[in-house]
Amino acid sequence: MEKTYFEQREIDTIEKLRMVKKDLPVVCNEFFIGIEHTTSPLTRLGYALDLRIFFDYLTKEIDYFVGKNVLTLSYEDFEHIESFHIEMFLDYLTYYKIDNKEYKNTIKTKSRKLSSLKSFFKFCYDKDRIKKDPASKVKSPKIHEKPIIRFDNEEVSEFLDTVESGKGLTGHAQAFHNRTKERDIAIMTLFLGTGIRISELVGLDVDDIDFDKKAFKVTRKGGNQTILYFNDEVLDALLKYMDVRALNPALDDEPALFCSLKNKRIDVRSVQILVKKYSNLSTPLKHITPHKLRTTFGTSLYQNTKDIYVVAEVLGHKDVNTTKRHYAAISENIKKEAIEHVNLRDHNKDE
């Protein structure tokens, strides 16, 4: 039986994780086995990649570890890791080179890598493998919240009009647009009309869509599946795309809903490029990504429902506080508007 997109992605992630683990101290295997049933393969891969950078740093920059073989580092060696080594590592992450390739990290990325180290050393400490947890006293970098970028209603219309018309594209790009515009408008309308994640979108199969009920099955983070619904505008865009898709016999046996010009499932990177291409034409002053389209939908849903729990459910946020952080500013506006309707005295009352 052919594997689904998400099944194959999980297999690919596990295989990559096994390759990265080969560059880590052998004792790290206990950590990955210990967290296997409480984390996703993608989360474990992130931990492994972060730990690989950290141990590479130790053996290059910290005197005790310089010259040591990363693979043979032991729990006894970990006792020589101090909190300030981790703080120095965070500073190192600002800019570094590995195999002549340059890397830079933002405060947010540094914070995530520190979180990986905290999880690892806490596990080692809780299992009595080390006598102290060197990461426990390291404070996470303060992340300054950036303004949330999204389309306003007028910009949504301009964006979709651009996707539909291809206005502003060069002659060469226009030729490609003529072959993909129904697909592209279906993708962008689905983003803006349902707020799904990019990974959820590229993973959609034709069989996941119920056109009669205007519903589709989506695989969320962690592999959980849920049913989402769409409106007539999304239905119209999908049906027009399906009519064009049906004219391509090469796609008769392809389960993927959205495909590239190579007649294979479209990938995440290609969708990101599409969003960037069209948004640069319609709203060049805003840096729009697929996630910004998701945020635009969430904003619209919240403004119409005034219910943060509905927004959290539809967007697939496990913690409603995540939703609140994203839409706090909107909440403030709603509260300000609401207070205007509170009348303490009836000024129209006759004297």
Side-chain angles (χ1 to χ4, degrees), residues 19 43 77 94 131 134 137 159 171 184 212 220-221 316 322:
M19 293 300 295
T43 295
D77 289 319
T94 303
K131 295 185 175 106
K137 295 182 180 180
F159 175 71
D184 295 352
D212 293 329
R220 295 294 200 187
K221 283 183 176 180
T322 301

Side-chain angles (χ1 to χ4, degrees), residues 163-166 174 176-187 278:
V163 178
E164 194 166 33
S165 68
Q174 186 71 52
F176 279 103
H177 175 262
N178 292 335
R179 298 170 61 188
T180 66
K181 70 176 181 178
E182 285 83 6
R183 180 203 67 186
D184 295 352
I185 194 69
I187 287 175
Y278 291 122

Side-chain angles (χ1 to χ4, degrees), residues 230-323:
F230 49 82
N231 62 19
D232 288 336
E233 194 169 2
V234 175
L235 175 64
D236 181 62
L238 287 173
L239 289 176
K240 286 179 179 177
Y241 165 62
M242 292 302 295
D243 287 342
V244 173
R245 188 185 187 282
L247 299 176
N248 185 353
L251 296 179
D252 287 347
D253 297 321
E254 173 55 58
L257 176 62
F258 297 115
C259 298
S260 68
L261 289 175
K262 294 181 180 180
N263 299 319
K264 296 293 182 182
R265 184 183 301 275
I266 197 167
D267 59 31
V268 168
R269 182 59 183 153
S270 296
V271 176
Q272 290 171 334
I273 291 172
L274 284 177
V275 172
K276 181 179 180 180
K277 176 177 73 174
Y278 291 122
S279 63
N280 281 347
L281 292 173
S282 68
T283 50
L285 296 182
K286 286 188 175 181
H287 176 60
I288 299 297
T289 64
H291 189 74
K292 300 298 189 297
L293 300 184
R294 173 174 162 84
T295 301
T296 298
F297 167 79
T299 301
S300 178
L301 185 62
Y302 186 49
Q303 289 174 333
N304 282 283
T305 65
K306 307 295 190 293
D307 192 329
I308 201 70
Y309 293 96
V310 170
V311 178
E313 178 68 22
V314 174
L315 291 180
H317 290 163
K318 292 182 179 180
D319 184 355
V320 72
N321 289 318
T322 301
T323 320

